[in-house]
Amino acid sequence: MTDSRNNLEQVGTAGLLQAVSHHLGHDMAPEWRKAAEATPRHRFLPDRIWLSSDGDEFALCDRGHDPERWFAAAYADGPVVTQINDGQEVDDLSDALPSSSASAPSIVFQMLELLGLEPGMRILEIGTGTGFNAALLSHRLGDVNVTTIEIDPDVAELARANLTANGYAPTLICGDGSQGWDAGAPYDRVMATCSVREVPYSWINQCRPGGVVLTPWCDDWSHGGLLRLTVTDDGTATGRYSPDSAFMLMRTQRLDLRLFRDVVLDEHVPTESTTTLDPWAVADSAFETQFALGHRLGDLWYAWHHDPEVEGVATRLWVATTDGDSWAAVDWDGAENTAHYTVWQHGPRRLWEEVEAAHRWWLDNDRPGPDRLGLTVTPEGHTAWLDHPANGWPLGRPS
């Protein structure tokens, strides 16, 4: 039985590493291959996981009832949801919201490569999750050089058990990762396994000059992008993005706004106008387009409303500020080759004009994608920039 189980682990790991190398476009570095072979992924997954296919709702996969599907998910190059709704049970899985997961291995190793780790370096990981990342880091750097922090007590307990069972003992803290862990600072590297809408300055402050902060990025308009910042002697950090990697948002930065509860109220009296800008060109466009627009629009978010039960309206695009103070709605009547769309706006800001200005900026600058965008973080805030830090604007509101 033991030989059979070991063989399954070896075959599963070998196939997974082949998929990761294909994603990376080159063979994995020997040190990471050794770490992966010593740390079989399935050993870090709980018996109950949630899987989806083609964007459908999540379905529970229980190892005891469906071991083959569970094991296949463990060694597929894809994310595995390990907790929903912050650990709260739900009666209807259509209400399931992922709150913790094991990231796709290809993204895991892509991030590990971007860190540029060397022996003896000390690292702080934000978001322990299953403990798999921390195990790989401990294998590479040694337990004493790895600190990992997890906000959810149940997730932290499971990670600690997984790490112990597999012979690893990094420093594991149950706490708010947005605060970092000052007791272990300074670090050579800080990495997050959750996305952020703003980079906590504590991460910069706890990283050595010349050190690297690596985090998934998620602004309110778009999702995806890996941000790699280098910390300078004056306590600032600046860097660029790698494209397309979606992670769950850090819990302390979640946006809990509902259009018809918090934003659009019955007593609002909006102004009416028209626009020639196709709403799909800004809110249902390619990832690269939305990523760039998000860096110009800063604090704006959107939501589609199909069949809103409004006469003459087939689809409505809502745009709102993250404080819920202003909103806009753009209506499509369902006709083909529409030249004009009706716009409704309320609040102190004219949000659709801001969207139009951002789109013109994107066109005027040859349609930049994530590879041309960067971010500088200081104690005072965030500055987004195009091509060079000197060509920047405050991230919250474009100049």
Side-chain angles (χ1 to χ4, degrees):
M1 180 65 72
T2 300
D3 289 343
S4 176
R5 183 171 65 248
N6 289 342
N7 184 58
L8 283 173
E9 289 182 0
Q10 292 169 3
V11 171
T13 299
L16 182 56
L17 296 186
Q18 184 177 7
V20 170
S21 294
H22 178 75
H23 172 88
L24 295 174
H26 56 77
D27 289 339
M28 290 176 60
E31 58 269 20
W32 291 124
R33 178 173 289 275
K34 290 177 182 177
E37 290 171 345
T39 313
R41 189 183 187 223
H42 81 277
R43 297 186 191 177
F44 288 82
L45 296 183
D47 289 341
R48 285 161 47 97
I49 59 178
W50 288 265
L51 305 174
S52 67
S53 58
D54 299 326
D56 293 337
E57 66 183 44
F58 288 93
L60 176 66
C61 178
D62 191 305
R63 184 180 187 178
H65 295 143
D66 197 350
E68 291 186 2
R69 188 180 183 214
W70 184 93
F71 195 85
Y75 286 101
D77 186 18
V80 174
V81 174
T82 55
Q83 185 197 69
I84 58 173
N85 297 67
D86 296 341
Q88 302 299 312
E89 294 289 340
V90 294
D91 295 328
D92 186 350
L93 282 179
S94 64
D95 297 324
L97 297 173
S99 52
S100 190
S101 70
S103 300
S106 56
I107 297 299
V108 169
F109 288 99
Q110 179 183 343
M111 292 179 69
L112 293 175
E113 281 195 356
L114 285 170
L115 286 170
L117 292 170
E118 298 292 342
M121 284 187 173
R122 302 180 66 253
I123 187 168
L124 172 65
E125 178 193 34
I126 311 298
T128 312
T130 66
F132 182 64
N133 250 31
L136 296 170
L137 290 167
S138 294
H139 188 279
R140 176 82 169 89
L141 301 174
D143 294 330
V144 70
N145 290 318
V146 179
T147 299
T148 181
I149 184 166
E150 171 59 50
I151 195 170
D152 188 299
D154 293 334
V155 174
E157 182 180 352
L158 176 62
R160 193 183 304 278
N162 290 340
L163 288 161
T164 300
N166 286 277
Y168 297 109
T171 299
L172 196 162
I173 308 299
C174 183
D176 181 0
S178 68
Q179 303 300 311
W181 185 247
D182 196 53
Y187 305 98
D188 299 286
R189 299 289 188 268
V190 176
M191 72 173 298
T193 61
C194 54
S195 63
V196 295
R197 297 165 58 233
E198 58 182 78
V199 180
Y201 187 72
S202 61
W203 299 356
I204 310 300
N205 196 42
Q206 294 171 18
C207 196
R208 297 180 188 275
V212 169
V213 174
L214 180 67
T215 181
W217 180 261
C218 172
D219 61 44
D220 299 306
W221 196 266
S222 67
H223 303 273
L226 282 174
L227 176 62
R228 188 182 192 273
L229 299 167
T230 300
V231 179
T232 59
D233 291 333
D234 62 359
T236 65
T238 191
R240 294 179 177 271
Y241 296 93
S242 299
D244 208 7
S245 63
F247 282 70
M248 295 175 195
L249 187 63
M250 175 179 282
R251 294 192 186 187
T252 54
Q253 294 189 8
R254 288 173 177 171
L255 179 65
D256 186 27
L257 281 180
R258 300 292 183 270
L259 277 170
F260 303 113
R261 182 193 71 190
D262 305 311
V263 179
V264 183
L265 306 180
D266 290 341
E267 61 267 26
H268 289 173
V269 181
T271 60
E272 181 180 358
S273 60
T274 61
T275 183
T276 59
L277 177 59
D278 184 341
W280 281 271
V282 294
D284 194 24
S285 48
F287 161 75
E288 292 79 7
T289 304
Q290 293 199 65
F291 190 87
L293 293 177
H295 276 65
R296 293 297 289 183
L297 296 171
D299 63 341
L300 303 191
W301 59 287
Y302 71 85
W304 288 100
H305 193 176
H306 301 291
D307 300 320
E309 298 184 358
V310 176
E311 185 178 355
V313 179
T315 298
R316 173 172 285 171
L317 173 67
W318 292 97
V319 179
T321 56
T322 54
D323 63 8
D325 197 38
S326 299
W327 59 262
V330 184
D331 290 344
W332 175 56
D333 60 10
E336 295 184 9
N337 303 316
T338 300
H340 294 85
Y341 303 85
T342 301
V343 179
W344 306 93
Q345 298 187 89
H346 176 81
R349 291 166 58 182
R350 305 289 84 184
L351 299 192
W352 192 249
E353 280 85 339
E354 293 184 23
V355 173
E356 290 176 322
H359 190 257
R360 284 194 301 271
W361 168 87
W362 180 71
L363 292 174
D364 290 344
N365 285 279
D366 298 323
R367 307 176 185 230
D371 58 324
R372 291 180 58 195
L373 291 160
L375 192 71
T376 297
V377 182
T378 71
E380 289 72 38
H382 295 47
T383 299
W385 44 268
L386 177 68
D387 296 329
H388 190 277
N391 185 23
W393 60 91
L395 183 62
R397 292 284 300 278
S399 56

